[in-house]
């Protein structure tokens, strides 16, 4: 007689085991890429461009230092055949060749960068403490203006306050390597009075514009200015300027404070 039980039971056990594994919520663990500590050790020191002897960077410990005055030191790792920099962005560069005194990698433009190590310690003078650039020359800026809507008179005050909040702007050095240049941001205070009555008063930071300006832009921008425009039936109009330092790239956001004291934002068309 055909024994259905003998055939069915093994399949039942397999299905039950699979079901229990699925219900356990276990997922395969992702293996973390190991760091090549020998390669990192070989990178310690000062590296020059092989063609013109210009200084590319200095490696000390797990940090890369760049010779220009504004580029921030950057943490790095060597993972398999990749030179990985962890700045504002995480960027991997393919290593073509590495010896204790030669380092060749491919930059973000696809070009090979060939560096050689130097023992000349006079180059250390190029790696002095980095400077953070001040927008508005670290000066307090104050403006006030009178606006009219109908017979109503409004007194508006804008104060640009420099801060110690650092803004990292990504750029590329001569070797095509991404570096972070550091700047200080501003906080801008806006106060509006109708006669002796305060209609609006607030400290404004660049983060408040994330709903109208791409967050990736806000991250690298400085809140550089807030200017008076005009008054109409909608309210009192201002332009907030978020700018990428040392460039012509900016967002101009129209800020409208209604006569009920509420603030609205929109991108200037």
């Amino acid at each position: 007689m055909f024994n259905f039980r003998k055939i069915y039971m093994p399949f039942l056990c397999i299905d039950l085991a699979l079901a229990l594994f699925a219900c356990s919520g276990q997922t395969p663990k992702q293996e973390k890429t190991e760091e090549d500590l020998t390669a990192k050790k070989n990178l310690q020191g000062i590296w020059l461009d092989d063609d013109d002897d210009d200084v590319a960077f200095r490696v000390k410990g797990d940090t890369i230092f760049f010779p220009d005055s504004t580029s921030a030191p950057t943490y790095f790792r060597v993972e398999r055949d990749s030179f990985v920099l962890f700045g504002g962005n995480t960027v991997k560069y393919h290593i073509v060749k590495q010896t204790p005194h030669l380092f060749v990698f491919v930059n973000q433009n696809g070009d090979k960068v060939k560096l050689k190590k130097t023992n000349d310690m006079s180059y250390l003078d190029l790696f002095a403490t980095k400077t953070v650039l001040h927008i508005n020359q670290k000066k307090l800026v104050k403006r006030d203006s009178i606006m009219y809507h109908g017979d109503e008179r409004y007194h508006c005050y804008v104060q640009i306050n420099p801060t110690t909040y650092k803004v990292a702007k990504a750029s590329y050095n001569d070797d095509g390597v991404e570096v972070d240049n550091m700047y200080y941001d501003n906080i801008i205070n806006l106060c509006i009075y109708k006669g002796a009555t305060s209609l609006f008063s607030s400290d404004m930071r660049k983060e408040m514009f994330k709903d109208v300006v791409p967050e990736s832009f806000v991250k690298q921008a400085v809140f550089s200015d807030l200017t008076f425009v005009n008054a109409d039936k909608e309210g009192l109009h201002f332009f907030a300027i978020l700018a990428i330092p040392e460039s012509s790239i900016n967002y101009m956001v129209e800020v409208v404070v209604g006569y009920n004291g509420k603030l609205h934002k929109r991108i200037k068309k």
Side-chain angles (χ1 to χ4, degrees), residues 68-73 130-135 165-170 179-185 222 245-246:
D68 59 285
S69 61
T70 61
S71 296
K130 300 306 178 185
T131 302
V132 180
L133 299 185
H134 307 278
I135 307 301
Y165 298 136
K166 293 180 180 178
V167 176
K169 172 197 170 187
V179 296
D180 290 333
N181 293 327
M182 305 304 294
Y183 301 83
Y184 282 137
D185 199 9
V222 167
E246 296 190 40

Side-chain angles (χ1 to χ4, degrees), residues 10-162:
F11 285 99
L12 179 62
C13 293
I14 293 172
D15 290 342
L16 181 59
L18 291 173
L20 289 172
F21 179 80
C23 293
S24 68
Q26 294 180 0
T27 56
K29 292 183 179 179
Q30 293 185 348
E31 184 179 349
K32 185 177 180 181
T33 303
E34 291 187 5
E35 185 173 11
D36 188 337
L37 297 179
T38 300
K40 173 174 276 191
K41 182 178 179 180
N42 287 336
L43 277 175
Q44 304 297 308
I46 298 173
W47 292 87
L48 310 179
D49 288 318
D50 190 52
D51 294 332
D52 51 21
D53 285 349
D54 285 343
V55 178
F57 51 71
R58 178 193 181 197
V59 176
K60 183 178 180 181
D62 56 8
T63 305
I64 293 180
F65 300 86
F66 298 96
D68 59 285
S69 61
T70 61
S71 296
T74 303
Y75 170 72
F76 83 99
R77 288 168 57 95
V78 178
E79 299 175 352
R80 295 174 182 163
D81 61 350
S82 294
F83 178 46
V84 189
L85 273 60
F86 297 85
N89 302 308
T90 299
V91 186
K92 291 186 177 183
Y93 302 93
H94 174 66
I95 298 173
V96 177
K97 185 176 182 179
Q98 183 186 13
T99 71
H101 295 280
L102 179 68
F103 186 46
V104 184
F105 64 93
V106 179
N107 67 17
Q108 293 188 195
N109 299 321
D111 301 322
K112 285 185 181 179
V113 178
K114 186 177 181 181
L115 306 178
K116 60 186 178 183
K117 187 184 291 186
T118 179
N119 295 319
D120 187 347
M121 291 297 102
S122 66
Y123 286 109
L124 286 174
D125 294 339
L126 297 174
F127 299 94
T129 303
K130 300 306 178 185
T131 302
V132 180
L133 299 185
H134 307 278
I135 307 301
N136 298 331
Q137 294 75 51
K138 204 179 179 181
K139 294 180 180 178
L140 185 70
V141 178
K142 295 182 179 181
R143 301 194 197 99
D144 64 271
S145 181
I146 303 298
M147 291 185 177
Y148 288 91
H149 177 60
D151 296 330
E152 300 293 347
R153 179 177 181 271
Y154 297 88
H155 201 161
C156 307
Y157 299 90
V158 167
Q159 181 169 299
I160 303 175
N161 303 293

Side-chain angles (χ1 to χ4, degrees), residues 145-150 152 154 156 190 192 199 226-240 253-259 266 268:
S145 181
I146 303 298
M147 291 185 177
Y148 288 91
H149 177 60
E152 300 293 347
Y154 297 88
C156 307
L190 173 62
I192 302 173
L199 178 67
L226 183 72
T227 59
F228 304 112
V229 181
N230 68 320
D232 60 15
K233 63 180 181 180
E234 186 181 13
L236 306 168
H237 295 249
F238 306 83
F239 281 146
V253 182
E254 188 173 11
V255 176
V256 183
V257 178
Y259 299 111
R266 57 180 174 243
K268 179 181 180 297

